[in-house]
Every structure is written in structure tokens, then in C-alpha cells.
């Protein structure tokens, strides 16, 4: 699998995804909730990549997937579509910056247990348009290189690593993390439009 796809793992957890991970480490049972969240992300990301790879396997005979270096290949086109959507998202976030607020369901995660955390991790990946496009990009990359789904294990692992950063910070820097996480959550809540724009710019730089 092309190493160019691996940085896209960052996009899988930006925005509400990483905010959810941060909120879960501030719950009464942070470790159990966070591990359940990671399990949901792992299942959803793995299934999504498998489905995406299957889609390109089915259409491969009728659609020219092309070489990885071909700018007209399906894989490249998917990446261009992702960039276009990110540019639109930047414009939308800037124009509506005064009224944009984080999703209300994020606040309900502050008391979430393992079951709710697992469901959140599962649904966040499969319901986020940007994540769907990323998984399609990975599926196209696998098809371009004639690789099976197992070759995406590193991508899924990188996604889980990003998702686990708040939990790792809690385990490694327990007291400092306990003080820092609520402040980080509050800042991201109050500046969600800026966070979204920064993430979009990073994504464009990564996949361009």
C-alpha cells in the first residue's frame, strides 16, 4: 500500500472525532469508555476500507482505475473530490464562524459509558462524509496496487493511534492530563470553527 495514503489516517479523527476522544477521557470511567470508543473506530474503519476495496474490485473491470501516478485515475479523482469538499468546508466555516457550534451530542458524551462510547466510535466513522471519502481513497489505492484488505492494516492502525492520543496522554501524564483535557475540550468547543478550518488546511496539505 502506498505510504502516501497513511497520512490520511489523521483525517479520520479530526473534528468531532478527536473531540469525542478528548471528552471520553474526562468521563467517570475514562479508560473503559476510551477503549470501547477505540474498538468502535477499529470495527468501523476496517469494515469501511473492506467495503471500499470491494467496490473498486467490482467496478475495476468497467472503470479504469489507472496507475498511481496517473492524475486521471479513479484514486486521484477521489482525492481531488476530497480536496474540493474540504475547500467548501473551509469557506462554510469561515462565513458561519459566528454561529457554528459543536454538535449537541458531544455534550452528552461527558457521562457516556462503554456501550455509548463504542456506538459513538462506530457511527462517527461511517457517517462522516470526509471519512467515507478517505476510505474510498484507501480502497482505490489498494486496487491500484492490487493489494488485499489486509494491506490496509497499517492505515487502520495509524487511525487508531490518532484516536488513542487522549487516552495515552491520560495514562502517561495522569495528573497533568486530567487538568489539561477539560481546558482543551473547552477551547475546542469555543473555537470549533477555527479547529475545523485548521484541520481542513492540514488535510489539503497532506493529500495534495
Amino acid at each position: 500500500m502506498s505510504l502516501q495514503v497513511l497520512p490520511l489516517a489523521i483525517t479520520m479523527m479530526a473534528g468531532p472525532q478527536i473531540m469525542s476522544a478528548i471528552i471520553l477521557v474526562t468521563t467517570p470511567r475514562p479508560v473503559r469508555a476510551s477503549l470501547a470508543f477505540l474498538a468502535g473506530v477499529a470495527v468501523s474503519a476496517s469494515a469501511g476500507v473492506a467495503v471500499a476495496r470491494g467496490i473498486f474490485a467490482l467496478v475495476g473491470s468497467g472503470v479504469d482505475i489507472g496507475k498511481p501516478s496517473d492524475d486521471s485515475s479513479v484514486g486521484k479523482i477521489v482525492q481531488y473530490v476530497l480536496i474540493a469538499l474540504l475547500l467548501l468546508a473551509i469557506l462554510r466555516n469561515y462565513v458561519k464562524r459566528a454561529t457554528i457550534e459543536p454538535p449537541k451530542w458531544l455534550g452528552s458524551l461527558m457521562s457516556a459509558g462503554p456501550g455509548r462510547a463504542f456506538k459513538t466510535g462506530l457511527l462517527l466513522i461511517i457517517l462522516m462524509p470526509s471519512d467515507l471519502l478517505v476510505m474510498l481513497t484507501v480502497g482505490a489505492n489498494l486496487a491500484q496496487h492490487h493489494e488485499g484488505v489486509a494491506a490496509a492494516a497499517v492505515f487502520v492502525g495509524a487511525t487508531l493511534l490518532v484516536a488513542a492520543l487522549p487516552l495515552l496522554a491520560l495514562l502517561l501524564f495522569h495528573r497533568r492530563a486530567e487538568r489539561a483535557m477539560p481546558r482543551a475540550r473547552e477551547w475546542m468547543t469555543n473555537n470549533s470553527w477555527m479547529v475545523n478550518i485548521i484541520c481542513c488546511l492540514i488535510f489539503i496539505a497532506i493529500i495534495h
Side-chain angles (χ1 to χ4, degrees):
M1 185 172 134
S2 174
L3 293 178
Q4 293 179 347
V5 171
L6 294 181
L8 291 177
I10 300 174
T11 72
M12 296 288 286
M13 290 305 302
Q17 297 93 315
I18 194 63
M19 289 178 69
S20 298
I22 292 174
I23 290 174
L24 289 173
V25 298
T26 65
T27 60
R29 294 180 292 177
V31 176
R32 292 183 61 185
S34 296
L35 290 176
F37 176 76
L38 292 175
V41 171
V43 171
S44 192
S46 299
V49 170
V51 170
R53 177 63 180 87
I55 290 173
F56 282 101
L58 289 175
V59 304
S61 58
V63 177
D64 183 14
I65 294 177
K67 297 180 180 179
S69 58
D70 185 1
D71 287 340
S72 63
S73 67
V74 173
K76 288 290 186 180
I77 291 173
V78 171
Q79 292 183 13
Y80 295 150
V81 171
L82 178 56
I83 290 175
L85 290 175
L86 289 171
L87 289 173
L88 289 175
I90 289 175
L91 179 61
R92 180 182 178 275
N93 277 277
Y94 182 77
V95 171
K96 297 186 176 182
R97 62 189 182 280
T99 57
I100 287 181
E101 296 180 355
K104 294 182 178 180
W105 56 263
L106 277 174
S108 65
L109 289 180
M110 296 181 67
S111 58
R116 175 69 183 279
F118 176 82
K119 183 178 179 181
T120 299
L122 190 69
L123 294 179
L124 273 178
I125 300 300
I126 62 175
L127 295 180
M128 286 291 175
S130 59
D131 287 352
L132 293 176
L133 285 172
V134 168
M135 289 185 288
L136 283 173
T137 301
V138 174
N141 186 272
L142 292 174
Q144 287 173 334
H145 292 85
H146 305 289
E147 297 280 0
V149 176
V154 178
F155 167 78
V156 175
T159 300
L160 288 175
L161 177 60
V162 176
L165 289 178
L167 177 60
L168 292 174
L170 179 67
L171 296 177
L172 294 174
F173 311 102
H174 184 68
R175 293 182 179 178
R176 292 182 180 179
E178 284 184 335
R179 294 193 298 267
M181 289 300 175
R183 292 198 295 268
R185 180 188 64 203
E186 182 179 357
W187 186 89
M188 294 180 72
T189 299
N190 294 333
N191 300 276
S192 57
W193 70 272
M194 186 184 300
V195 174
N196 292 338
I197 289 178
I198 292 173
C199 290
C200 289
L201 290 173
I202 293 175
F203 303 160
I204 290 173
I206 289 173
I207 65 179
H208 187 265

